[in-house]
Amino acid sequence: QVQLVESRGGLVQAGGSLRLSCAASGRTSSVYVMGWFRQVPGKEREFVAAISRSGGGTTYVDSVKGRFTISRDNAKSTLYLQMNSLKPEDTAVYYCTAGNAGWGSSASLYNYWGQGTQVTVSS
């Protein structure tokens, strides 16, 4: 099993920046892909970004390209999401996730999930 714990999110003004982190513990050697999803009330969980084990491969949803950067530090078993130029529509609960195999934006590819952290962007 792998446990994921996200850092506290927060409230930020539009145009501002915020960095989320996610600490992984347990059988982290089994983790291949890590990623971030987000969800707003009444909507399905949305893929945001993913990164491969080496960090050499990344993918993003179109709406965050050029503004968000995903990275990971395997030595620290930590995943990051740097969010710049934030918009009110980025407001959501952000979830850290990890998978043992596969690569992509489907939530079904991911085996482990954090508890979620609220990010609120004010206009």
Side-chain angles (χ1 to χ4, degrees), residues 69-98:
T69 302
I70 189 171
S71 61
R72 63 192 288 177
D73 184 337
N74 289 333
K76 296 181 178 179
S77 298
T78 301
L79 177 71
Y80 303 97
L81 184 68
Q82 177 67 44
M83 303 183 291
N84 298 328
S85 302
L86 281 161
K87 304 176 181 180
E89 50 263 45
D90 294 317
T91 296
V93 176
Y94 283 71
Y95 295 90
C96 171
T97 187

mmCIF file with all atom_site columns, all heavy atoms in Angstrom, residues 69-98:
data_model
loop_
_atom_site.group_PDB
_atom_site.id
_atom_site.type_symbol
_atom_site.label_atom_id
_atom_site.label_alt_id
_atom_site.label_comp_id
_atom_site.label_asym_id
_atom_site.label_entity_id
_atom_site.label_seq_id
_atom_site.pdbx_PDB_ins_code
_atom_site.Cartn_x
_atom_site.Cartn_y
_atom_site.Cartn_z
_atom_site.occupancy
_atom_site.B_iso_or_equiv
_atom_site.pdbx_formal_charge
_atom_site.auth_seq_id
_atom_site.auth_comp_id
_atom_site.auth_asym_id
_atom_site.auth_atom_id
_atom_site.pdbx_PDB_model_num
ATOM 1   N N   . THR A 1 69 ? 3.032   23.415 -13.309 1.00 0.00 ? 69 THR A N   1
ATOM 2   C CA  . THR A 1 69 ? 4.167   22.531 -13.537 1.00 0.00 ? 69 THR A CA  1
ATOM 3   C C   . THR A 1 69 ? 4.170   21.424 -12.490 1.00 0.00 ? 69 THR A C   1
ATOM 4   O O   . THR A 1 69 ? 4.156   21.705 -11.290 1.00 0.00 ? 69 THR A O   1
ATOM 5   C CB  . THR A 1 69 ? 5.498   23.294 -13.456 1.00 0.00 ? 69 THR A CB  1
ATOM 6   O OG1 . THR A 1 69 ? 5.502   24.359 -14.414 1.00 0.00 ? 69 THR A OG1 1
ATOM 7   C CG2 . THR A 1 69 ? 6.671   22.360 -13.750 1.00 0.00 ? 69 THR A CG2 1
ATOM 8   N N   . ILE A 1 70 ? 4.194   20.187 -12.965 1.00 0.00 ? 70 ILE A N   1
ATOM 9   C CA  . ILE A 1 70 ? 4.256   19.044 -12.071 1.00 0.00 ? 70 ILE A CA  1
ATOM 10  C C   . ILE A 1 70 ? 5.696   18.563 -11.998 1.00 0.00 ? 70 ILE A C   1
ATOM 11  O O   . ILE A 1 70 ? 6.426   18.572 -12.997 1.00 0.00 ? 70 ILE A O   1
ATOM 12  C CB  . ILE A 1 70 ? 3.314   17.908 -12.544 1.00 0.00 ? 70 ILE A CB  1
ATOM 13  C CG1 . ILE A 1 70 ? 3.227   16.809 -11.491 1.00 0.00 ? 70 ILE A CG1 1
ATOM 14  C CG2 . ILE A 1 70 ? 3.739   17.366 -13.900 1.00 0.00 ? 70 ILE A CG2 1
ATOM 15  C CD1 . ILE A 1 70 ? 2.150   15.762 -11.794 1.00 0.00 ? 70 ILE A CD1 1
ATOM 16  N N   . SER A 1 71 ? 6.116   18.155 -10.807 1.00 0.00 ? 71 SER A N   1
ATOM 17  C CA  . SER A 1 71 ? 7.476   17.637 -10.640 1.00 0.00 ? 71 SER A CA  1
ATOM 18  C C   . SER A 1 71 ? 7.468   16.650 -9.471  1.00 0.00 ? 71 SER A C   1
ATOM 19  O O   . SER A 1 71 ? 6.509   16.614 -8.693  1.00 0.00 ? 71 SER A O   1
ATOM 20  C CB  . SER A 1 71 ? 8.476   18.765 -10.387 1.00 0.00 ? 71 SER A CB  1
ATOM 21  O OG  . SER A 1 71 ? 8.147   19.478 -9.202  1.00 0.00 ? 71 SER A OG  1
ATOM 22  N N   . ARG A 1 72 ? 8.526   15.877 -9.377  1.00 0.00 ? 72 ARG A N   1
ATOM 23  C CA  . ARG A 1 72 ? 8.621   14.927 -8.274  1.00 0.00 ? 72 ARG A CA  1
ATOM 24  C C   . ARG A 1 72 ? 10.064  14.793 -7.825  1.00 0.00 ? 72 ARG A C   1
ATOM 25  O O   . ARG A 1 72 ? 10.990  14.915 -8.634  1.00 0.00 ? 72 ARG A O   1
ATOM 26  C CB  . ARG A 1 72 ? 8.030   13.571 -8.647  1.00 0.00 ? 72 ARG A CB  1
ATOM 27  C CG  . ARG A 1 72 ? 8.731   12.852 -9.765  1.00 0.00 ? 72 ARG A CG  1
ATOM 28  C CD  . ARG A 1 72 ? 7.936   11.657 -10.277 1.00 0.00 ? 72 ARG A CD  1
ATOM 29  N NE  . ARG A 1 72 ? 7.905   10.532 -9.356  1.00 0.00 ? 72 ARG A NE  1
ATOM 30  C CZ  . ARG A 1 72 ? 7.225   9.410  -9.585  1.00 0.00 ? 72 ARG A CZ  1
ATOM 31  N NH1 . ARG A 1 72 ? 6.525   9.275  -10.705 1.00 0.00 ? 72 ARG A NH1 1
ATOM 32  N NH2 . ARG A 1 72 ? 7.228   8.408  -8.715  1.00 0.00 ? 72 ARG A NH2 1
ATOM 33  N N   . ASP A 1 73 ? 10.235  14.544 -6.553  1.00 0.00 ? 73 ASP A N   1
ATOM 34  C CA  . ASP A 1 73 ? 11.546  14.297 -5.969  1.00 0.00 ? 73 ASP A CA  1
ATOM 35  C C   . ASP A 1 73 ? 11.492  12.886 -5.395  1.00 0.00 ? 73 ASP A C   1
ATOM 36  O O   . ASP A 1 73 ? 10.960  12.673 -4.301  1.00 0.00 ? 73 ASP A O   1
ATOM 37  C CB  . ASP A 1 73 ? 11.849  15.332 -4.879  1.00 0.00 ? 73 ASP A CB  1
ATOM 38  C CG  . ASP A 1 73 ? 13.238  15.188 -4.294  1.00 0.00 ? 73 ASP A CG  1
ATOM 39  O OD1 . ASP A 1 73 ? 13.819  14.084 -4.364  1.00 0.00 ? 73 ASP A OD1 1
ATOM 40  O OD2 . ASP A 1 73 ? 13.753  16.172 -3.757  1.00 0.00 ? 73 ASP A OD2 1
ATOM 41  N N   . ASN A 1 74 ? 12.021  11.931 -6.134  1.00 0.00 ? 74 ASN A N   1
ATOM 42  C CA  . ASN A 1 74 ? 11.927  10.538 -5.708  1.00 0.00 ? 74 ASN A CA  1
ATOM 43  C C   . ASN A 1 74 ? 12.716  10.266 -4.433  1.00 0.00 ? 74 ASN A C   1
ATOM 44  O O   . ASN A 1 74 ? 12.345  9.401  -3.650  1.00 0.00 ? 74 ASN A O   1
ATOM 45  C CB  . ASN A 1 74 ? 12.387  9.614  -6.829  1.00 0.00 ? 74 ASN A CB  1
ATOM 46  C CG  . ASN A 1 74 ? 11.400  9.581  -7.978  1.00 0.00 ? 74 ASN A CG  1
ATOM 47  O OD1 . ASN A 1 74 ? 10.201  9.807  -7.795  1.00 0.00 ? 74 ASN A OD1 1
ATOM 48  N ND2 . ASN A 1 74 ? 11.887  9.305  -9.174  1.00 0.00 ? 74 ASN A ND2 1
ATOM 49  N N   . ALA A 1 75 ? 13.786  10.998 -4.229  1.00 0.00 ? 75 ALA A N   1
ATOM 50  C CA  . ALA A 1 75 ? 14.582  10.809 -3.011  1.00 0.00 ? 75 ALA A CA  1
ATOM 51  C C   . ALA A 1 75 ? 13.769  11.168 -1.765  1.00 0.00 ? 75 ALA A C   1
ATOM 52  O O   . ALA A 1 75 ? 13.951  10.588 -0.700  1.00 0.00 ? 75 ALA A O   1
ATOM 53  C CB  . ALA A 1 75 ? 15.848  11.646 -3.068  1.00 0.00 ? 75 ALA A CB  1
ATOM 54  N N   . LYS A 1 76 ? 12.866  12.123 -1.934  1.00 0.00 ? 76 LYS A N   1
ATOM 55  C CA  . LYS A 1 76 ? 12.015  12.552 -0.823  1.00 0.00 ? 76 LYS A CA  1
ATOM 56  C C   . LYS A 1 76 ? 10.615  11.954 -0.916  1.00 0.00 ? 76 LYS A C   1
ATOM 57  O O   . LYS A 1 76 ? 9.771   12.231 -0.069  1.00 0.00 ? 76 LYS A O   1
ATOM 58  C CB  . LYS A 1 76 ? 11.910  14.080 -0.799  1.00 0.00 ? 76 LYS A CB  1
ATOM 59  C CG  . LYS A 1 76 ? 13.226  14.791 -0.536  1.00 0.00 ? 76 LYS A CG  1
ATOM 60  C CD  . LYS A 1 76 ? 13.015  16.296 -0.495  1.00 0.00 ? 76 LYS A CD  1
ATOM 61  C CE  . LYS A 1 76 ? 14.333  17.011 -0.192  1.00 0.00 ? 76 LYS A CE  1
ATOM 62  N NZ  . LYS A 1 76 ? 14.152  18.501 -0.174  1.00 0.00 ? 76 LYS A NZ  1
ATOM 63  N N   . SER A 1 77 ? 10.371  11.165 -1.960  1.00 0.00 ? 77 SER A N   1
ATOM 64  C CA  . SER A 1 77 ? 9.030   10.579 -2.174  1.00 0.00 ? 77 SER A CA  1
ATOM 65  C C   . SER A 1 77 ? 7.958   11.645 -2.141  1.00 0.00 ? 77 SER A C   1
ATOM 66  O O   . SER A 1 77 ? 6.918   11.502 -1.478  1.00 0.00 ? 77 SER A O   1
ATOM 67  C CB  . SER A 1 77 ? 8.745   9.500  -1.113  1.00 0.00 ? 77 SER A CB  1
ATOM 68  O OG  . SER A 1 77 ? 9.656   8.436  -1.210  1.00 0.00 ? 77 SER A OG  1
ATOM 69  N N   . THR A 1 78 ? 8.221   12.723 -2.833  1.00 0.00 ? 78 THR A N   1
ATOM 70  C CA  . THR A 1 78 ? 7.305   13.866 -2.803  1.00 0.00 ? 78 THR A CA  1
ATOM 71  C C   . THR A 1 78 ? 6.975   14.329 -4.210  1.00 0.00 ? 78 THR A C   1
ATOM 72  O O   . THR A 1 78 ? 7.847   14.402 -5.072  1.00 0.00 ? 78 THR A O   1
ATOM 73  C CB  . THR A 1 78 ? 7.911   15.025 -1.998  1.00 0.00 ? 78 THR A CB  1
ATOM 74  O OG1 . THR A 1 78 ? 8.188   14.584 -0.666  1.00 0.00 ? 78 THR A OG1 1
ATOM 75  C CG2 . THR A 1 78 ? 6.942   16.193 -1.926  1.00 0.00 ? 78 THR A CG2 1
ATOM 76  N N   . LEU A 1 79 ? 5.713   14.635 -4.406  1.00 0.00 ? 79 LEU A N   1
ATOM 77  C CA  . LEU A 1 79 ? 5.188   15.154 -5.655  1.00 0.00 ? 79 LEU A CA  1
ATOM 78  C C   . LEU A 1 79 ? 4.818   16.615 -5.452  1.00 0.00 ? 79 LEU A C   1
ATOM 79  O O   . LEU A 1 79 ? 4.376   16.994 -4.354  1.00 0.00 ? 79 LEU A O   1
ATOM 80  C CB  . LEU A 1 79 ? 3.939   14.363 -6.065  1.00 0.00 ? 79 LEU A CB  1
ATOM 81  C CG  . LEU A 1 79 ? 3.187   14.800 -7.310  1.00 0.00 ? 79 LEU A CG  1
ATOM 82  C CD1 . LEU A 1 79 ? 4.002   14.461 -8.560  1.00 0.00 ? 79 LEU A CD1 1
ATOM 83  C CD2 . LEU A 1 79 ? 1.820   14.139 -7.358  1.00 0.00 ? 79 LEU A CD2 1
ATOM 84  N N   . TYR A 1 80 ? 5.005   17.414 -6.477  1.00 0.00 ? 80 TYR A N   1
ATOM 85  C CA  . TYR A 1 80 ? 4.701   18.845 -6.390  1.00 0.00 ? 80 TYR A CA  1
ATOM 86  C C   . TYR A 1 80 ? 3.798   19.277 -7.549  1.00 0.00 ? 80 TYR A C   1
ATOM 87  O O   . TYR A 1 80 ? 3.802   18.672 -8.620  1.00 0.00 ? 80 TYR A O   1
ATOM 88  C CB  . TYR A 1 80 ? 5.979   19.679 -6.434  1.00 0.00 ? 80 TYR A CB  1
ATOM 89  C CG  . TYR A 1 80 ? 6.976   19.350 -5.362  1.00 0.00 ? 80 TYR A CG  1
ATOM 90  C CD1 . TYR A 1 80 ? 8.041   18.492 -5.617  1.00 0.00 ? 80 TYR A CD1 1
ATOM 91  C CD2 . TYR A 1 80 ? 6.855   19.896 -4.088  1.00 0.00 ? 80 TYR A CD2 1
ATOM 92  C CE1 . TYR A 1 80 ? 8.962   18.183 -4.632  1.00 0.00 ? 80 TYR A CE1 1
ATOM 93  C CE2 . TYR A 1 80 ? 7.779   19.588 -3.092  1.00 0.00 ? 80 TYR A CE2 1
ATOM 94  C CZ  . TYR A 1 80 ? 8.828   18.734 -3.371  1.00 0.00 ? 80 TYR A CZ  1
ATOM 95  O OH  . TYR A 1 80 ? 9.733   18.425 -2.385  1.00 0.00 ? 80 TYR A OH  1
ATOM 96  N N   . LEU A 1 81 ? 3.066   20.344 -7.307  1.00 0.00 ? 81 LEU A N   1
ATOM 97  C CA  . LEU A 1 81 ? 2.324   21.013 -8.366  1.00 0.00 ? 81 LEU A CA  1
ATOM 98  C C   . LEU A 1 81 ? 2.475   22.509 -8.155  1.00 0.00 ? 81 LEU A C   1
ATOM 99  O O   . LEU A 1 81 ? 1.919   23.077 -7.212  1.00 0.00 ? 81 LEU A O   1
ATOM 100 C CB  . LEU A 1 81 ? 0.844   20.628 -8.369  1.00 0.00 ? 81 LEU A CB  1
ATOM 101 C CG  . LEU A 1 81 ? 0.031   21.217 -9.515  1.00 0.00 ? 81 LEU A CG  1
ATOM 102 C CD1 . LEU A 1 81 ? 0.476   20.587 -10.847 1.00 0.00 ? 81 LEU A CD1 1
ATOM 103 C CD2 . LEU A 1 81 ? -1.462  20.993 -9.307  1.00 0.00 ? 81 LEU A CD2 1
ATOM 104 N N   . GLN A 1 82 ? 3.265   23.137 -9.011  1.00 0.00 ? 82 GLN A N   1
ATOM 105 C CA  . GLN A 1 82 ? 3.440   24.587 -8.975  1.00 0.00 ? 82 GLN A CA  1
ATOM 106 C C   . GLN A 1 82 ? 2.360   25.208 -9.840  1.00 0.00 ? 82 GLN A C   1
ATOM 107 O O   . GLN A 1 82 ? 2.282   24.917 -11.039 1.00 0.00 ? 82 GLN A O   1
ATOM 108 C CB  . GLN A 1 82 ? 4.825   24.970 -9.480  1.00 0.00 ? 82 GLN A CB  1
ATOM 109 C CG  . GLN A 1 82 ? 5.068   26.471 -9.535  1.00 0.00 ? 82 GLN A CG  1
ATOM 110 C CD  . GLN A 1 82 ? 5.100   27.107 -8.162  1.00 0.00 ? 82 GLN A CD  1
ATOM 111 O OE1 . GLN A 1 82 ? 5.701   26.582 -7.239  1.00 0.00 ? 82 GLN A OE1 1
ATOM 112 N NE2 . GLN A 1 82 ? 4.435   28.250 -8.028  1.00 0.00 ? 82 GLN A NE2 1
ATOM 113 N N   . MET A 1 83 ? 1.551   26.050 -9.242  1.00 0.00 ? 83 MET A N   1
ATOM 114 C CA  . MET A 1 83 ? 0.434   26.660 -9.951  1.00 0.00 ? 83 MET A CA  1
ATOM 115 C C   . MET A 1 83 ? 0.645   28.165 -10.015 1.00 0.00 ? 83 MET A C   1
ATOM 116 O O   . MET A 1 83 ? 0.691   28.833 -8.973  1.00 0.00 ? 83 MET A O   1
ATOM 117 C CB  . MET A 1 83 ? -0.883  26.331 -9.231  1.00 0.00 ? 83 MET A CB  1
ATOM 118 C CG  . MET A 1 83 ? -1.131  24.845 -9.074  1.00 0.00 ? 83 MET A CG  1
ATOM 119 S SD  . MET A 1 83 ? -2.723  24.471 -8.318  1.00 0.00 ? 83 MET A SD  1
ATOM 120 C CE  . MET A 1 83 ? -2.440  25.047 -6.649  1.00 0.00 ? 83 MET A CE  1
ATOM 121 N N   . ASN A 1 84 ? 0.797   28.675 -11.220 1.00 0.00 ? 84 ASN A N   1
ATOM 122 C CA  . ASN A 1 84 ? 0.991   30.104 -11.449 1.00 0.00 ? 84 ASN A CA  1
ATOM 123 C C   . ASN A 1 84 ? -0.187  30.671 -12.226 1.00 0.00 ? 84 ASN A C   1
ATOM 124 O O   . ASN A 1 84 ? -0.953  29.936 -12.836 1.00 0.00 ? 84 ASN A O   1
ATOM 125 C CB  . ASN A 1 84 ? 2.289   30.341 -12.221 1.00 0.00 ? 84 ASN A CB  1
ATOM 126 C CG  . ASN A 1 84 ? 3.512   29.872 -11.473 1.00 0.00 ? 84 ASN A CG  1
ATOM 127 O OD1 . ASN A 1 84 ? 3.563   29.902 -10.240 1.00 0.00 ? 84 ASN A OD1 1
ATOM 128 N ND2 . ASN A 1 84 ? 4.522   29.434 -12.209 1.00 0.00 ? 84 ASN A ND2 1
ATOM 129 N N   . SER A 1 85 ? -0.289  31.983 -12.219 1.00 0.00 ? 85 SER A N   1
ATOM 130 C CA  . SER A 1 85 ? -1.361  32.678 -12.964 1.00 0.00 ? 85 SER A CA  1
ATOM 131 C C   . SER A 1 85 ? -2.716  32.038 -12.683 1.00 0.00 ? 85 SER A C   1
ATOM 132 O O   . SER A 1 85 ? -3.486  31.751 -13.600 1.00 0.00 ? 85 SER A O   1
ATOM 133 C CB  . SER A 1 85 ? -1.065  32.645 -14.467 1.00 0.00 ? 85 SER A CB  1
ATOM 134 O OG  . SER A 1 85 ? 0.178   33.253 -14.747 1.00 0.00 ? 85 SER A OG  1
ATOM 135 N N   . LEU A 1 86 ? -2.991  31.836 -11.434 1.00 0.00 ? 86 LEU A N   1
ATOM 136 C CA  . LEU A 1 86 ? -4.218  31.142 -11.051 1.00 0.00 ? 86 LEU A CA  1
ATOM 137 C C   . LEU A 1 86 ? -5.458  31.931 -11.430 1.00 0.00 ? 86 LEU A C   1
ATOM 138 O O   . LEU A 1 86 ? -5.462  33.173 -11.413 1.00 0.00 ? 86 LEU A O   1
ATOM 139 C CB  . LEU A 1 86 ? -4.205  30.867 -9.552  1.00 0.00 ? 86 LEU A CB  1
ATOM 140 C CG  . LEU A 1 86 ? -3.345  29.663 -9.138  1.00 0.00 ? 86 LEU A CG  1
ATOM 141 C CD1 . LEU A 1 86 ? -3.004  29.713 -7.667  1.00 0.00 ? 86 LEU A CD1 1
ATOM 142 C CD2 . LEU A 1 86 ? -4.060  28.369 -9.476  1.00 0.00 ? 86 LEU A CD2 1
ATOM 143 N N   . LYS A 1 87 ? -6.493  31.192 -11.783 1.00 0.00 ? 87 LYS A N   1
ATOM 144 C CA  . LYS A 1 87 ? -7.770  31.766 -12.193 1.00 0.00 ? 87 LYS A CA  1
ATOM 145 C C   . LYS A 1 87 ? -8.869  31.271 -11.255 1.00 0.00 ? 87 LYS A C   1
ATOM 146 O O   . LYS A 1 87 ? -8.744  30.188 -10.669 1.00 0.00 ? 87 LYS A O   1
ATOM 147 C CB  . LYS A 1 87 ? -8.097  31.332 -13.626 1.00 0.00 ? 87 LYS A CB  1
ATOM 148 C CG  . LYS A 1 87 ? -7.036  31.683 -14.651 1.00 0.00 ? 87 LYS A CG  1
ATOM 149 C CD  . LYS A 1 87 ? -7.395  31.124 -16.020 1.00 0.00 ? 87 LYS A CD  1
ATOM 150 C CE  . LYS A 1 87 ? -6.327  31.458 -17.051 1.00 0.00 ? 87 LYS A CE  1
ATOM 151 N NZ  . LYS A 1 87 ? -6.682  30.913 -18.396 1.00 0.00 ? 87 LYS A NZ  1
ATOM 152 N N   . PRO A 1 88 ? -9.955  32.006 -11.154 1.00 0.00 ? 88 PRO A N   1
ATOM 153 C CA  . PRO A 1 88 ? -11.064 31.537 -10.299 1.00 0.00 ? 88 PRO A CA  1
ATOM 154 C C   . PRO A 1 88 ? -11.555 30.147 -10.683 1.00 0.00 ? 88 PRO A C   1
ATOM 155 O O   . PRO A 1 88 ? -11.963 29.370 -9.804  1.00 0.00 ? 88 PRO A O   1
ATOM 156 C CB  . PRO A 1 88 ? -12.136 32.597 -10.530 1.00 0.00 ? 88 PRO A CB  1
ATOM 157 C CG  . PRO A 1 88 ? -11.366 33.842 -10.830 1.00 0.00 ? 88 PRO A CG  1
ATOM 158 C CD  . PRO A 1 88 ? -10.187 33.378 -11.636 1.00 0.00 ? 88 PRO A CD  1
ATOM 159 N N   . GLU A 1 89 ? -11.476 29.810 -11.966 1.00 0.00 ? 89 GLU A N   1
ATOM 160 C CA  . GLU A 1 89 ? -11.939 28.487 -12.401 1.00 0.00 ? 89 GLU A CA  1
ATOM 161 C C   . GLU A 1 89 ? -11.003 27.362 -11.977 1.00 0.00 ? 89 GLU A C   1
ATOM 162 O O   . GLU A 1 89 ? -11.308 26.189 -12.181 1.00 0.00 ? 89 GLU A O   1
ATOM 163 C CB  . GLU A 1 89 ? -12.147 28.455 -13.921 1.00 0.00 ? 89 GLU A CB  1
ATOM 164 C CG  . GLU A 1 89 ? -10.988 28.965 -14.729 1.00 0.00 ? 89 GLU A CG  1
ATOM 165 C CD  . GLU A 1 89 ? -11.170 30.427 -15.146 1.00 0.00 ? 89 GLU A CD  1
ATOM 166 O OE1 . GLU A 1 89 ? -11.584 31.241 -14.285 1.00 0.00 ? 89 GLU A OE1 1
ATOM 167 O OE2 . GLU A 1 89 ? -10.873 30.746 -16.318 1.00 0.00 ? 89 GLU A OE2 1
ATOM 168 N N   . ASP A 1 90 ? -9.858  27.708 -11.396 1.00 0.00 ? 90 ASP A N   1
ATOM 169 C CA  . ASP A 1 90 ? -8.972  26.685 -10.835 1.00 0.00 ? 90 ASP A CA  1
ATOM 170 C C   . ASP A 1 90 ? -9.409  26.271 -9.426  1.00 0.00 ? 90 ASP A C   1
ATOM 171 O O   . ASP A 1 90 ? -8.838  25.335 -8.845  1.00 0.00 ? 90 ASP A O   1
ATOM 172 C CB  . ASP A 1 90 ? -7.529  27.194 -10.771 1.00 0.00 ? 90 ASP A CB  1
ATOM 173 C CG  . ASP A 1 90 ? -6.929  27.429 -12.147 1.00 0.00 ? 90 ASP A CG  1
ATOM 174 O OD1 . ASP A 1 90 ? -7.137  26.589 -13.036 1.00 0.00 ? 90 ASP A OD1 1
ATOM 175 O OD2 . ASP A 1 90 ? -6.240  28.455 -12.315 1.00 0.00 ? 90 ASP A OD2 1
ATOM 176 N N   . THR A 1 91 ? -10.381 26.974 -8.881  1.00 0.00 ? 91 THR A N   1
ATOM 177 C CA  . THR A 1 91 ? -10.883 26.632 -7.550  1.00 0.00 ? 91 THR A CA  1
ATOM 178 C C   . THR A 1 91 ? -11.455 25.219 -7.533  1.00 0.00 ? 91 THR A C   1
ATOM 179 O O   . THR A 1 91 ? -12.300 24.873 -8.352  1.00 0.00 ? 91 THR A O   1
ATOM 180 C CB  . THR A 1 91 ? -11.969 27.627 -7.118  1.00 0.00 ? 91 THR A CB  1
ATOM 181 O OG1 . THR A 1 91 ? -11.385 28.927 -6.990  1.00 0.00 ? 91 THR A OG1 1
ATOM 182 C CG2 . THR A 1 91 ? -12.592 27.220 -5.796  1.00 0.00 ? 91 THR A CG2 1
ATOM 183 N N   . ALA A 1 92 ? -10.946 24.413 -6.614  1.00 0.00 ? 92 ALA A N   1
ATOM 184 C CA  . ALA A 1 92 ? -11.361 23.013 -6.549  1.00 0.00 ? 92 ALA A CA  1
ATOM 185 C C   . ALA A 1 92 ? -10.659 22.348 -5.373  1.00 0.00 ? 92 ALA A C   1
ATOM 186 O O   . ALA A 1 92 ? -9.747  22.920 -4.765  1.00 0.00 ? 92 ALA A O   1
ATOM 187 C CB  . ALA A 1 92 ? -10.997 22.273 -7.832  1.00 0.00 ? 92 ALA A CB  1
ATOM 188 N N   . VAL A 1 93 ? -11.074 21.131 -5.090  1.00 0.00 ? 93 VAL A N   1
ATOM 189 C CA  . VAL A 1 93 ? -10.309 20.265 -4.195  1.00 0.00 ? 93 VAL A CA  1
ATOM 190 C C   . VAL A 1 93 ? -9.310  19.514 -5.070  1.00 0.00 ? 93 VAL A C   1
ATOM 191 O O   . VAL A 1 93 ? -9.701  18.882 -6.051  1.00 0.00 ? 93 VAL A O   1
ATOM 192 C CB  . VAL A 1 93 ? -11.209 19.287 -3.433  1.00 0.00 ? 93 VAL A CB  1
ATOM 193 C CG1 . VAL A 1 93 ? -10.363 18.337 -2.592  1.00 0.00 ? 93 VAL A CG1 1
ATOM 194 C CG2 . VAL A 1 93 ? -12.192 20.047 -2.553  1.00 0.00 ? 93 VAL A CG2 1
ATOM 195 N N   . TYR A 1 94 ? -8.053  19.599 -4.723  1.00 0.00 ? 94 TYR A N   1
ATOM 196 C CA  . TYR A 1 94 ? -6.996  18.958 -5.498  1.00 0.00 ? 94 TYR A CA  1
ATOM 197 C C   . TYR A 1 94 ? -6.564  17.663 -4.809  1.00 0.00 ? 94 TYR A C   1
ATOM 198 O O   . TYR A 1 94 ? -6.317  17.649 -3.599  1.00 0.00 ? 94 TYR A O   1
ATOM 199 C CB  . TYR A 1 94 ? -5.811  19.904 -5.648  1.00 0.00 ? 94 TYR A CB  1
ATOM 200 C CG  . TYR A 1 94 ? -6.052  20.968 -6.688  1.00 0.00 ? 94 TYR A CG  1
ATOM 201 C CD1 . TYR A 1 94 ? -6.953  22.002 -6.448  1.00 0.00 ? 94 TYR A CD1 1
ATOM 202 C CD2 . TYR A 1 94 ? -5.407  20.929 -7.918  1.00 0.00 ? 94 TYR A CD2 1
ATOM 203 C CE1 . TYR A 1 94 ? -7.202  22.968 -7.409  1.00 0.00 ? 94 TYR A CE1 1
ATOM 204 C CE2 . TYR A 1 94 ? -5.647  21.890 -8.884  1.00 0.00 ? 94 TYR A CE2 1
ATOM 205 C CZ  . TYR A 1 94 ? -6.544  22.908 -8.623  1.00 0.00 ? 94 TYR A CZ  1
ATOM 206 O OH  . TYR A 1 94 ? -6.793  23.859 -9.586  1.00 0.00 ? 94 TYR A OH  1
ATOM 207 N N   . TYR A 1 95 ? -6.473  16.606 -5.609  1.00 0.00 ? 95 TYR A N   1
ATOM 208 C CA  . TYR A 1 95 ? -6.115  15.294 -5.101  1.00 0.00 ? 95 TYR A CA  1
ATOM 209 C C   . TYR A 1 95 ? -4.795  14.824 -5.701  1.00 0.00 ? 95 TYR A C   1
ATOM 210 O O   . TYR A 1 95 ? -4.613  14.877 -6.921  1.00 0.00 ? 95 TYR A O   1
ATOM 211 C CB  . TYR A 1 95 ? -7.187  14.267 -5.448  1.00 0.00 ? 95 TYR A CB  1
ATOM 212 C CG  . TYR A 1 95 ? -8.521  14.508 -4.782  1.00 0.00 ? 95 TYR A CG  1
ATOM 213 C CD1 . TYR A 1 95 ? -9.488  15.304 -5.398  1.00 0.00 ? 95 TYR A CD1 1
ATOM 214 C CD2 . TYR A 1 95 ? -8.804  13.941 -3.544  1.00 0.00 ? 95 TYR A CD2 1
ATOM 215 C CE1 . TYR A 1 95 ? -10.715 15.532 -4.790  1.00 0.00 ? 95 TYR A CE1 1
ATOM 216 C CE2 . TYR A 1 95 ? -10.022 14.168 -2.930  1.00 0.00 ? 95 TYR A CE2 1
ATOM 217 C CZ  . TYR A 1 95 ? -10.971 14.957 -3.558  1.00 0.00 ? 95 TYR A CZ  1
ATOM 218 O OH  . TYR A 1 95 ? -12.188 15.186 -2.946  1.00 0.00 ? 95 TYR A OH  1
ATOM 219 N N   . CYS A 1 96 ? -3.924  14.339 -4.855  1.00 0.00 ? 96 CYS A N   1
ATOM 220 C CA  . CYS A 1 96 ? -2.701  13.676 -5.272  1.00 0.00 ? 96 CYS A CA  1
ATOM 221 C C   . CYS A 1 96 ? -3.028  12.207 -5.541  1.00 0.00 ? 96 CYS A C   1
ATOM 222 O O   . CYS A 1 96 ? -3.826  11.608 -4.811  1.00 0.00 ? 96 CYS A O   1
ATOM 223 C CB  . CYS A 1 96 ? -1.679  13.805 -4.159  1.00 0.00 ? 96 CYS A CB  1
ATOM 224 S SG  . CYS A 1 96 ? -0.167  12.840 -4.366  1.00 0.00 ? 96 CYS A SG  1
ATOM 225 N N   . THR A 1 97 ? -2.406  11.639 -6.561  1.00 0.00 ? 97 THR A N   1
ATOM 226 C CA  . THR A 1 97 ? -2.690  10.254 -6.884  1.00 0.00 ? 97 THR A CA  1
ATOM 227 C C   . THR A 1 97 ? -1.448  9.544  -7.397  1.00 0.00 ? 97 THR A C   1
ATOM 228 O O   . THR A 1 97 ? -0.510  10.196 -7.872  1.00 0.00 ? 97 THR A O   1
ATOM 229 C CB  . THR A 1 97 ? -3.833  10.178 -7.909  1.00 0.00 ? 97 THR A CB  1
ATOM 230 O OG1 . THR A 1 97 ? -4.213  8.819  -8.111  1.00 0.00 ? 97 THR A OG1 1
ATOM 231 C CG2 . THR A 1 97 ? -3.415  10.780 -9.244  1.00 0.00 ? 97 THR A CG2 1
ATOM 232 N N   . ALA A 1 98 ? -1.449  8.233  -7.293  1.00 0.00 ? 98 ALA A N   1
ATOM 233 C CA  . ALA A 1 98 ? -0.309  7.437  -7.746  1.00 0.00 ? 98 ALA A CA  1
ATOM 234 C C   . ALA A 1 98 ? -0.809  6.118  -8.318  1.00 0.00 ? 98 ALA A C   1
ATOM 235 O O   . ALA A 1 98 ? -1.822  5.581  -7.858  1.00 0.00 ? 98 ALA A O   1
ATOM 236 C CB  . ALA A 1 98 ? 0.661   7.184  -6.599  1.00 0.00 ? 98 ALA A CB  1
#
